[in-house]
Amino acid sequence: MTWPFPTRSTRPPDPLATLRLQVRLGELAAELRRVEEDPELYARAHHWFAVQCAYDALLREACRLAGLPTDRAPLHADQHSAADERLREELELSSRGWSW
């Protein structure tokens, strides 16, 4: 018997890759908090922007790994997500058991 619709063979994500991604998200979140809390950090705005961009790009990668809908195009080095999109991605991942 053949199926009337095409099937895709999707393999579940590698659990170690998922764990590495969660650990890195946690490290970047801690770095963001450190930058926000240190008023004497040299070039604070630059550091915050760089860490925020890295966090957003990694968050988008986590969404792809978890099978969540995201923009197809990856973020460039000088871009970061809007706050509402970042919150949506974080909540979607959290609802699927991700923690960082």
Side-chain angles (χ1 to χ4, degrees):
M1 171 175 200
T2 60
W3 292 99
F5 52 89
T7 60
R8 277 194 309 187
S9 147
T10 57
R11 294 177 24 201
D14 178 17
L16 292 178
T18 303
L19 181 60
R20 278 192 302 270
L21 201 56
Q22 288 177 349
V23 167
R24 186 65 184 132
L25 274 171
E27 290 170 348
L28 286 173
E31 181 68 14
L32 270 173
R33 285 189 298 273
R34 187 186 70 77
V35 169
E36 288 174 351
E37 294 169 357
D38 187 0
E40 297 180 12
L41 179 67
Y42 179 76
R44 183 174 173 210
H46 171 75
H47 286 284
W48 181 88
F49 186 74
V51 175
Q52 187 67 65
C53 290
Y55 180 81
D56 289 343
L58 203 57
L59 195 59
R60 187 171 285 181
E61 180 61 30
C63 287
R64 276 202 248 1
L65 190 62
L68 296 171
T70 61
D71 291 335
R72 297 297 254 166
L75 292 172
H76 295 284
D78 61 344
Q79 295 177 332
H80 62 88
S81 298
D84 58 342
E85 177 63 16
R86 184 179 312 114
L87 180 61
R88 183 194 70 79
E89 291 171 349
E90 290 171 339
L91 290 174
E92 288 284 343
L93 287 170
S94 294
S95 72
R96 286 167 172 74
W98 284 60
S99 62
W100 60 92

